[in-house]
Amino acid sequence: MKMMLSLGWLFIAIVHKAEPLISDNFADCRVYFYKEQLPEGFDGIALPHHFNPSDLPDGINESELTSPAYICQQYGNKFHFASLYDRGRRIPLYSAYILDRNSSSQITNKRKKLYKIEPQLVYRQLGGTMKLQNVTKRNIEIYKINQGILEANEKNDPDYLIRTSQAVDADYRNSGYNRGHVNPRLHHVTADGQNATFTFTNVAPMTKKLNNNIWNQYENKTIGYADGCTTMYVVTGIVPGNNWIKRMNTDRVNIPSYVWNAYCCVDNNDKPIKSGAGLKENDISDRPVNEMAINDLQGKLKHLLKFSGNIAMFFNNCA
Ligand SMILES: *[C@@H]1O[C@H](CO)[C@@H](O)[C@H](O)[C@H]1NC(C)=O
Ligand SMILES: *[C@@H]1O[C@H](CO)[C@@H](O)[C@H](O)[C@H]1NC(C)=O
Ligand SMILES: *[C@@H]1O[C@H](CO)[C@@H](O)[C@H](O)[C@H]1NC(C)=O
Ligand SMILES: *[C@@H]1O[C@H](CO)[C@@H](O)[C@H](O)[C@H]1NC(C)=O
Ligand SMILES: *[C@@H]1O[C@H](CO)[C@@H](O)[C@H](O)[C@H]1NC(C)=O
């Protein structure tokens, strides 16, 4: 049985080699960006990965541990959206997606879901599909056997590999922070489109107040903004903060200081009809989301990120 499993996995691993994995500049999921143009100004702010560069786990190639990681979010054999993942802070800097429901369509899939993780952040060869943590752990064990990585030391331990490469369930549990979806389930109508948002590379620590009330109400409101659009492109992101969710005295997951969002609504000729943006502190105040023009958001982000370069959400500012 064990042998069959290994051979089966070897076959899967070979097949996966031809598949898009962590994708250079989102080459495999450009359709989620207006005119396929990526937001400018965010790539430089990510922090480096957490593996020890002088004692890397066996089978990990350091030049593939670049931060940010460009993740084309894959679930059920399909791409659903794109996330720029900061390996150092273990949160997405943004997720980009198409809002695919309107104010008259009903949310279908209300069941509580388990959050998945991203196997390719450990070994690219594990494939580009999000998986549950226990499944990923099993896949790592099989991959290691196939690669002849037999040394049973700490640095090759599957649990260590997983928690070093990304945020996991244990980080959020009892942290006092919610798993705040960056690309929200509410903006999707199909079951797999909604399920695909339940992955730790699409969530960041948010206060309960922000996640359940203030930001949630804004997300609900923006569904209405999509009425009359052929396509509404959305980029939602965070501003990294100074505080972290800690475990055993180490910084694990960065707690954003702000959450922001920008949308670009176009007609069937790809011509912009309207656009807008929102910005809110990740705090417990009752203040609503500060809605503004995209240009204003870009100016504020430049200041908050202390960034001297250009910040541009959309092709031609969605104008
Ligand atoms: C490491 O990854 C880089 C980039 O993908 C690749 O060019 C290089 O050949 C890899 N090195 C090894 C030893 O696999
Ligand atoms: C809104 O979504 C519903 C359900 O998916 C669909 O039947 C309807 O045609 C949509 N309306 C518009 C204006 O897109
Ligand atoms: C992983 O956990 C889920 C949910 O707890 C369970 O349904 C599934 O059978 C587990 N899979 C493996 C491979 O352990
Ligand atoms: C979505 O997730 C639920 C709960 O995990 C699962 O029962 C359902 O089969 C999934 N649906 C799709 C289309 O992936
Ligand atoms: C979303 O907004 C609609 C009105 O546009 C309202 O009827 C509904 O209750 C709101 N839902 C939530 C979860 O806030």
Side-chain angles (χ1 to χ4, degrees), residues 66-319:
T66 46
S67 184
Y70 298 84
I71 299 176
C72 288
Q73 298 281 7
Q74 221 177 312
Y75 175 79
N77 276 322
K78 260 175 60 187
F79 291 119
H80 294 272
F81 60 101
S83 298
L84 189 70
Y85 189 66
D86 185 331
R87 292 187 197 249
R89 296 186 179 90
R90 300 191 176 99
I91 48 174
L93 296 172
Y94 65 70
S95 287
Y97 60 95
I98 289 171
L99 195 156
D100 59 9
R101 67 173 285 223
N102 60 35
S103 50
S104 62
S105 54
Q106 291 299 305
I107 190 127
T108 50
N109 202 5
K110 287 199 174 134
R111 212 137 46 97
K112 192 168 157 29
K113 292 195 181 56
L114 295 170
Y115 288 75
K116 293 163 286 288
I117 63 162
E118 195 63 33
Q120 60 178 334
L121 289 174
V122 181
Y123 294 119
R124 281 181 71 136
Q125 292 81 355
L126 294 178
T129 300
M130 58 181 78
K131 297 263 168 67
L132 290 175
Q133 186 172 340
N134 61 347
V135 175
T136 306
K137 182 176 172 179
R138 179 87 189 106
N139 290 355
I140 290 173
E141 283 161 354
I142 295 167
Y143 178 73
K144 281 173 53 187
I145 293 169
N146 283 321
Q147 295 295 306
I149 302 169
L150 300 171
E151 214 187 331
N153 48 14
E154 159 80 359
K155 72 172 185 184
N156 291 330
D157 174 58
D159 290 320
Y160 169 79
L161 291 168
I162 291 172
R163 72 168 181 268
T164 305
S165 62
Q166 57 202 289
V168 294
D169 183 73
D171 293 319
Y172 286 86
R173 214 185 303 140
N174 306 320
S175 69
Y177 285 88
N178 277 17
R179 298 139 201 246
H181 276 71
V182 175
N183 172 7
R185 160 165 59 174
L186 201 60
H187 284 178
H188 304 280
V189 77
T190 63
D192 65 340
Q194 291 181 15
N195 282 5
T197 66
F198 284 76
T199 180
F200 280 110
T201 56
N202 179 50
V203 301
M206 292 186 199
T207 65
K208 197 173 164 194
K209 180 84 182 196
L210 181 70
N211 189 45
N212 292 348
N213 298 93
I214 310 293
W215 192 255
N216 182 260
Q217 282 158 19
Y218 173 69
E219 287 169 341
N220 188 30
K221 198 169 164 190
T222 53
I223 295 168
Y225 296 169
D227 286 345
C229 314
T230 300
T231 307
M232 184 150 106
Y233 295 93
V234 184
V235 184
T236 299
I238 58 91
V239 174
N242 296 323
N243 299 316
W244 295 68
I245 291 178
K246 290 179 193 289
R247 271 206 290 154
M248 292 181 284
N249 283 322
T250 34
D251 288 348
R252 283 287 312 167
V253 184
N254 184 264
I255 301 165
S257 53
Y258 288 82
V259 181
W260 54 264
N261 149 300
Y263 58 88
C264 175
C265 156
V266 303
D267 69 12
N268 54 6
N269 291 316
D270 242 9
K271 282 242 176 340
I273 301 172
K274 57 187 166 183
S275 67
L279 178 68
K280 177 68 179 76
E281 298 93 339
N282 187 13
D283 65 7
I284 55 171
S285 76
D286 286 316
R287 275 192 304 282
V289 172
N290 185 4
E291 295 190 50
M292 59 189 83
I294 289 177
N295 257 331
D296 295 334
L297 176 70
Q298 289 169 175
K300 285 184 193 293
L301 287 180
K302 219 171 134 87
H303 173 71
L304 291 170
L305 295 167
K306 299 179 186 67
F307 185 64
S308 57
N310 194 36
I311 290 185
M313 296 294 170
F314 297 111
F315 170 82
N316 197 30
N317 256 342
C318 187

